[in-house]
Amino acid sequence: MAGLEARGIVGPFALRGVDLALRPGEWLSLLGPNGSGKTTLLRVMAGLLRPKAGEVFLEGRPLRAYGSYGRGRLLAYLPQNGPYPEGLLVEEVVRLGRLPHLGLWGREGREDEEAVEWALEATGAAAFRGRLLGTLSGGERQRVLLARALAARPRYLLLDEPTTFLDLEHQAGVVALLRRLAGMGLGVLSVLHDPNQAALAHRVAVMQGGRLLAQGSPEAVLTEPLLQGLYGPGVRVARMAGRPHVYLDG
């Protein structure tokens, strides 16, 4: 079966028997309180952490069976934070996303150029392509790093809080981009803190204490009883345009 699947993941840290599957052509959002295991699960599914038990499968094969370049052609991961090449130009940073596709001599071709241009335009990062990464604001930097992930032209895209540091306009742009990418056939898994952003995904999975509490459509999962259990009794859920809208009462 095509897809990215975590089966029976136990550890590292708090993960306890997690099963989660990301299918091509869908946007799946992962929601939950701080410390619930969302980032750890994402890193396990990206192949950056190895579980104590269980297995991650990428298009039917164990993820550990792929080399780093083979994995990098299929799967791109955008961390929440980390060391970044501050002294590189934006365009150079985005070109790093093409490394898994380059041949023995590392020569770029037309396909690489087109992928970089598309990623810069899709994220709105083309406007500052000639600036150093270290001179950008947090929101601008986040868009560049998303462009680097997209430049790989992956089949599966794992994003840890991709709207961090972005203003409302660019948050909306990223959300629209994620839906567009899923419409192009990519499988997109995003860790989010905002349940109203998560409600725009095709599916939502909710974590607490290293376990999955629920997964399914936003309408089925984002209910008052579940969210009040996670965030407190003041959480309310209304329906707007057929979707759940989460807000705080008082």
Side-chain angles (χ1 to χ4, degrees):
M1 171 181 170
L4 178 64
E5 299 179 77
R7 300 181 190 170
I9 302 299
V10 176
F13 310 117
L15 298 181
R16 297 185 289 172
V18 177
D19 293 291
L20 187 67
L22 174 65
R23 299 185 290 262
E26 77 163 349
W27 173 22
L28 169 61
S29 279
L30 191 57
L31 192 66
N34 290 335
S36 59
K38 302 183 302 296
T39 292
T40 300
L41 177 59
L42 205 69
R43 296 189 72 198
V44 168
M45 295 180 73
L48 300 177
L49 293 175
R50 180 163 291 185
K52 295 180 180 178
E55 190 82 81
V56 177
F57 292 87
L58 176 58
E59 301 206 328
R61 294 177 59 200
L63 185 61
R64 55 185 168 80
Y66 289 83
S68 59
Y69 278 80
R71 186 176 68 228
R73 294 186 189 102
L74 296 173
L75 179 63
Y77 168 66
L78 175 62
Q80 185 177 351
N81 47 51
Y84 301 122
E86 305 282 348
L88 292 184
L89 297 175
V90 164
E91 184 172 339
E92 293 172 330
V93 173
V94 176
R95 287 184 184 280
L96 293 176
R98 295 301 300 170
L99 287 177
H101 296 272
L102 299 183
L104 178 63
W105 306 108
R107 293 174 180 169
E108 294 184 353
R110 181 175 179 179
E111 185 177 351
D112 302 300
E113 294 287 344
E114 290 176 349
V116 168
E117 290 301 320
W118 172 78
L120 285 165
E121 293 294 337
T123 57
F128 34 87
R129 65 191 303 158
R131 290 175 57 187
L132 293 173
L133 184 68
T135 68
L136 301 182
S137 69
E140 291 169 337
R141 177 183 304 214
Q142 191 74 354
R143 287 152 62 192
V144 172
L145 299 175
L146 177 56
R148 182 181 65 175
L150 289 178
R153 293 282 195 172
R155 296 183 191 173
Y156 305 94
L157 185 62
L158 309 184
L159 307 170
D160 195 354
E161 299 188 36
T163 57
T164 299
F165 305 121
L166 300 180
D167 59 28
L168 283 176
E169 177 185 2
H170 289 106
Q171 286 182 38
V174 167
V175 167
L177 175 60
L178 298 187
R179 289 191 65 88
R180 192 162 73 247
L181 292 171
M184 294 166 57
L186 274 72
V188 180
L189 174 57
S190 62
V191 167
L192 293 170
H193 274 299
D194 186 344
N196 290 312
Q197 290 182 359
L200 298 172
H202 298 111
R203 283 197 300 136
V204 178
V206 178
M207 292 191 73
Q208 184 181 40
R211 297 186 183 276
L212 279 177
L213 292 185
Q215 55 180 306
S217 69
E219 295 76 17
V221 172
L222 298 178
T223 64
E224 277 190 8
L226 185 143
L227 293 177
Q228 287 176 356
L230 291 175
Y231 303 116
V235 177
R236 295 288 183 267
V237 179
R239 299 287 166 178
M240 297 180 63
R243 293 184 180 273
H245 175 72
V246 182
Y247 64 100
L248 295 177
D249 186 7

